[in-house]
């Protein structure tokens, strides 16, 4: 995962490093993160090229076929005419997890080429778009609307940003093979429960498993199939760390048992 130097002006708070080894820092790959964001919503910002070669950004809805965005676009719209003339496009998608600072949120950009599906692929694309955007049933079969697929294997770039200092790229092949995280989309209630009722357990995890034995507080700010993201407070400042489960989860239903096992592991000598 790439961390870029933003050029510290000199008075920015320092981030303390772990004092001991993080027991299990495994987290989703950039490809898995990107697939999870793509599956988390049905809206994005589509960038196309005008006939003059200028960038044109438009708000669009989409469905997914194997991670490939399926667009339903009218030729009356400028971006529809742009796609018909030039298949190069990119779509930016923001995960629906509002932050007090919008730039701290998670988002992706997929860039590549769109194609018009045919035959069985057309039927699958139509159903995928309708599953994500039921309101499209009113217009999807109008003659001026076209289905376009930004095919995964024709995506030239996949870029994931998870907030400040958390960003990485993935190949089209890795993105195609990855799956959306089964825990993240429904983790909010569990995270709230952990923070409200099990703050002591989170603190123990941060101290024993997360590499911060000097932690004075720990808050869970994220959960995925591999573990928990913890925001840790120490006398040296605040930092982020990781508490990885004993094994990856296949379902959100397994989250409670996994966190109980983490708490027990943190309490063991």
């Amino acid at each position: 995962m790439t961390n870029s130097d933003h050029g510290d002006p000199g008075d920015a708070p320092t981030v303390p490093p772990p004092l001991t080894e993080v027991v299990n820092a495994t987290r989703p790959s950039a490809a898995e993160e990107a697939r999870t964001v793509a599956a988390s919503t049905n809206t994005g910002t589509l960038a196309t090229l005008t006939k003059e070669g200028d960038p044109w950004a438009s708000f669009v809805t989409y469905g997914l076929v194997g991670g490939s965005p399926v667009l339903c676009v009218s030729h009356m719209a400028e971006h529809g005419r742009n796609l018909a003339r030039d298949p190069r496009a990119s779509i930016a998608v923001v995960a629906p997890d509002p932050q007090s600072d919008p730039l701290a949120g998670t988002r992706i950009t997929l860039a590549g080429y769109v194609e018009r599906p045919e035959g069985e692929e057309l039927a699958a694309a139509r159903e995928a778009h309708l599953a994500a955007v039921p309101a499209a049933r009113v217009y999807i079969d109008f003659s001026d609307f076209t289905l376009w697929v930004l095919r995964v294997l024709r995506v030239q770039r996949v870029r994931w940003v998870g907030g400040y200092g958390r960003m990485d790229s993935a190949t089209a092949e890795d993105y195609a093979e990855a799956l959306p995280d089964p825990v993240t989309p429904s983790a909010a209630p569990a995270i709230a429960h952990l923070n409200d009722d099990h703050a002591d357990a989170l603190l123990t995890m941060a101290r024993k498993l997360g590499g911060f034995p000097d932690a004075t507080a720990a808050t869970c700010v994220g959960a995925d199939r591999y573990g928990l993201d913890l925001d840790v407070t120490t006398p040296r400042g605040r930092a982020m760390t990781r508490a990885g489960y004993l094994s990856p989860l296949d379902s959100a239903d397994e989250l409670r048992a996994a966190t109980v096992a983490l708490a027990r592991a943190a309490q063991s000598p």
Side-chain angles (χ1 to χ4, degrees), residues 99-214:
Q99 305 279 333
S100 57
D101 179 354
L103 290 178
T106 305
R107 62 270 192 191
I108 61 169
T109 300
L110 307 177
Y113 296 84
V114 296
E115 295 178 351
R116 293 182 65 172
E118 298 179 351
E120 293 183 0
E121 290 184 333
L122 175 59
R126 182 181 185 278
E127 290 308 308
H129 190 86
L130 287 175
V133 191
R137 195 170 297 277
V138 175
Y139 54 80
I140 195 169
D141 294 320
F142 285 1
S143 59
D144 67 297
F145 277 83
T146 301
L147 284 173
W148 297 95
V149 178
L150 182 58
R151 294 196 186 280
V152 167
L153 293 178
R154 294 205 69 193
V155 169
Q156 293 184 316
R157 294 190 63 194
V158 178
R159 187 66 170 170
W160 162 78
V161 178
Y164 293 110
R166 295 182 61 216
M167 60 199 74
D168 205 350
S169 296
T171 66
E173 292 76 15
D174 286 344
Y175 179 80
E177 293 175 2
L179 294 173
D181 192 277
V183 173
T184 300
S186 56
I191 291 172
H193 173 68
L194 285 170
N195 290 326
D196 292 342
D197 299 336
H198 299 287
D200 289 346
L202 292 175
L203 179 56
T204 303
M205 291 179 201
R207 289 172 172 172
K208 296 291 186 66
L209 306 177
F212 287 87
D214 61 341

Side-chain angles (χ1 to χ4, degrees), residues 21-266:
E21 183 181 357
V22 178
V23 173
N24 180 4
T26 303
R27 63 175 313 112
S29 67
E32 290 174 304
E33 295 272 20
R35 284 295 297 268
T36 301
V37 173
S40 70
T41 184
N42 63 355
T43 61
T45 300
L46 177 72
T48 57
L49 295 171
T50 68
K51 61 182 178 181
E52 293 80 19
D54 298 322
W56 187 262
S58 309
F59 177 78
V60 295
T61 57
Y62 69 89
L64 288 174
V65 171
S68 297
V70 179
L71 312 171
C72 181
V73 179
S74 170
H75 193 70
M76 295 174 64
E78 182 154 355
H79 54 281
R81 297 193 296 275
N82 291 345
L83 290 178
R85 182 175 49 251
D86 190 326
R88 290 176 293 174
S90 66
I91 186 169
V93 179
V94 178
D97 53 350
Q99 305 279 333
S100 57
D101 179 354
L103 290 178
T106 305
R107 62 270 192 191
I108 61 169
T109 300
L110 307 177
Y113 296 84
V114 296
E115 295 178 351
R116 293 182 65 172
E118 298 179 351
E120 293 183 0
E121 290 184 333
L122 175 59
R126 182 181 185 278
E127 290 308 308
H129 190 86
L130 287 175
V133 191
R137 195 170 297 277
V138 175
Y139 54 80
I140 195 169
D141 294 320
F142 285 1
S143 59
D144 67 297
F145 277 83
T146 301
L147 284 173
W148 297 95
V149 178
L150 182 58
R151 294 196 186 280
V152 167
L153 293 178
R154 294 205 69 193
V155 169
Q156 293 184 316
R157 294 190 63 194
V158 178
R159 187 66 170 170
W160 162 78
V161 178
Y164 293 110
R166 295 182 61 216
M167 60 199 74
D168 205 350
S169 296
T171 66
E173 292 76 15
D174 286 344
Y175 179 80
E177 293 175 2
L179 294 173
D181 192 277
V183 173
T184 300
S186 56
I191 291 172
H193 173 68
L194 285 170
N195 290 326
D196 292 342
D197 299 336
H198 299 287
D200 289 346
L202 292 175
L203 179 56
T204 303
M205 291 179 201
R207 289 172 172 172
K208 296 291 186 66
L209 306 177
F212 287 87
D214 61 341
T216 57
T219 303
C220 182
V221 295
D224 53 61
R225 71 185 309 242
Y226 298 107
L228 306 178
D229 284 321
L230 301 180
D231 185 337
V232 178
T233 301
T234 79
R236 299 174 292 130
R238 289 178 58 183
M240 292 292 297
T241 191
R242 190 80 174 154
Y245 311 133
L246 304 185
S247 59
L249 309 185
D250 295 319
S251 165
D253 295 337
E254 302 173 11
L255 180 57
R256 184 180 183 280
T259 54
V260 169
L262 262 185
R264 289 174 178 166

